[in-house]
Amino acid sequence: MLNLRQLHDAFATRFGAPPAFVVRAPGRVNLIGEHTDYNEGFVLPIAIDRATFVAARARVDRTIRVHSAQLDVEDRFSLDRIEHNPDQPWSNYVRGVVKAIRSRDLPLSGADLLIDSQVPLGAGLSSSAALEVAVAYALQLLNDLDLLGEELALLAQGAEQSFVGMQCGIMDQFMAALGRAGHALLLDCRDLSYRPIPIPLRARVVVCDSGVRHSLVASEYNERRAACEQAVQLLRARLPRISALRDVTSAQLEANADLLPPVVHRRARHVVSEIERTLAAAAALERGDLAHFGALMDASHASLRDDYEVSIPELDTLVEIARRLPGCYGSRLTGGGFGGSTVSLVEEGAVDRFAADLVAGYRERLGREAQVLVCTPSEGVSRVAVF
Ligand code: ADP
Ligand code: MG
């Protein structure tokens, strides 16, 4: 990743003039509450101190030119003709955001955009939302759009859903836009209300990238969503007032399990129990009960593995190794699954040893290289330099 000066110079070389400013939007890691967001439940993520940076400058014509330093690719398109680009999938995250702004009838000029990122792609840390929110924020600054906070997050989510075809929930874009330094956010995905909860300084959030990139994830993800919707439809025969799995308790689900095909029942059981675990975990964090918090993380992983079936052997192995290491409160897969990363909560003093032993253990067991990121909870999107 280039530093700010290098980003400035690379922009000037590529586009023939320096950028007006640079913005950043962070990746995120979810501590607990997985696959609950699109069920109108709760999540408990932090925004991390790894971000996607966008250097930007307005153009006089109606073209968007965008270059990704990581992928070393460039795309350009007209503001008046924004189509899906099958040849450059990455560009659709940008095109989707521009199209979403256009469809709100907001005034928009052309722009040159240079993107660089510290968020690994496809590692479950939401590089996609960081990219969308950073681009949207850069365009809102260039065009004075007053598109901020929750509105910015919703716009970016809509872009990923309609233009990329990923029926994602709101969590990733919400954190990229509204993350809070030093805190996790207990976010209610039904009404977007949230409560910041401080992360005690004696605990560190450790992300471990398995090195397995999720593939086919959109189809699996959309299939899980469909199962949740089916569960709600079927449960309505006896629970007519529910509109999402959020409205169902574990006791109600078990009492009405006969309405559901076995697979749908297991999918729903994950979601309903995960929402209950997330609320319990938030309460434990507020009391400083890290041991209980960690036990809930462990239970979350088991539920994702056995009932929701979104884990893979590499993630299961990382979690098993992590839990046996000194100072580890709990460990689970994080993000959608099928690859990506685990998240562990680890005692501050044990974190260096934990990171080294986790990487070594994974190498020994599976012959693969893992990347560890020790994360600090960070602010949402911001402007970091003006030139
Ligand atoms: P995640 O959000 O977990 O990292 P996704 O599959 O949702 O994984 O999004 C990753 C995709 O987002 C990449 O394959 C790429 O198309 C796009 N993307 C993210 N960051 C960048 C970037 N800095 N440059 C270009 N494309 C990016
Ligand atoms: Mg993503």
Side-chain angles (χ1 to χ4, degrees), residues 164-308:
V164 180
M166 180 77 175
Q167 295 306 310
C168 55
I170 188 63
M171 165 171 64
D172 302 353
Q173 291 81 6
F174 196 92
M175 293 311 287
L178 284 153
R180 171 101 49 114
H183 294 73
L185 301 188
L186 177 65
L187 172 63
D188 182 338
C189 298
R190 171 161 273 171
D191 63 9
L192 299 190
S193 60
Y194 62 96
R195 193 161 88 234
I197 303 177
I199 304 283
L201 291 173
R202 67 179 192 283
R204 299 306 304 271
V205 175
V206 182
V207 171
C208 186
D209 179 355
S210 67
V212 181
R213 288 294 163 265
H214 38 70
S215 54
L216 288 178
V217 74
S219 61
E220 291 284 356
Y221 184 94
N222 295 341
E223 185 271 327
R224 295 301 184 284
R225 271 191 90 126
C228 293
E229 278 160 27
Q230 194 190 348
V232 172
Q233 291 305 329
L234 293 169
L235 288 168
R236 272 210 195 114
R238 284 193 216 128
L239 303 168
R241 282 199 294 277
I242 64 169
S243 64
L245 284 176
R246 154 72 174 275
D247 301 315
V248 180
T249 65
S250 282
Q252 284 174 322
L253 181 66
E254 291 323 305
N256 295 289
D258 59 302
L259 293 174
L260 307 178
V263 173
V264 174
H265 174 230
R266 280 190 284 123
R267 303 292 188 252
R269 186 164 63 192
H270 164 70
V271 172
V272 169
S273 65
E274 184 78 354
I275 291 171
E276 291 169 353
R277 276 188 293 275
T278 304
L279 291 171
L285 194 59
E286 271 173 334
R287 308 191 290 276
D289 186 349
L290 299 182
H292 188 51
F293 190 95
L296 291 163
M297 291 175 83
D298 293 351
S300 167
H301 184 83
S303 175
L304 286 160
R305 181 190 59 210
D306 302 335
D307 277 352
Y308 221 57

Side-chain angles (χ1 to χ4, degrees), residues 28 93 122 124-129 132 160 166 168 172-173 214:
R28 63 96 188 93
Y93 296 87
L125 300 178
S126 202
S127 67
S128 59
E132 292 147 13
E160 183 155 343
M166 180 77 175
C168 55
D172 302 353
Q173 291 81 6
H214 38 70

Side-chain angles (χ1 to χ4, degrees), residues 68 70-71 90 93 115 117 120-128 131 214:
S68 166
Q70 251 146 328
L71 303 181
W90 72 275
Y93 296 87
I115 296 161
S117 184
L121 274 50
L125 300 178
S126 202
S127 67
S128 59
L131 173 60
H214 38 70

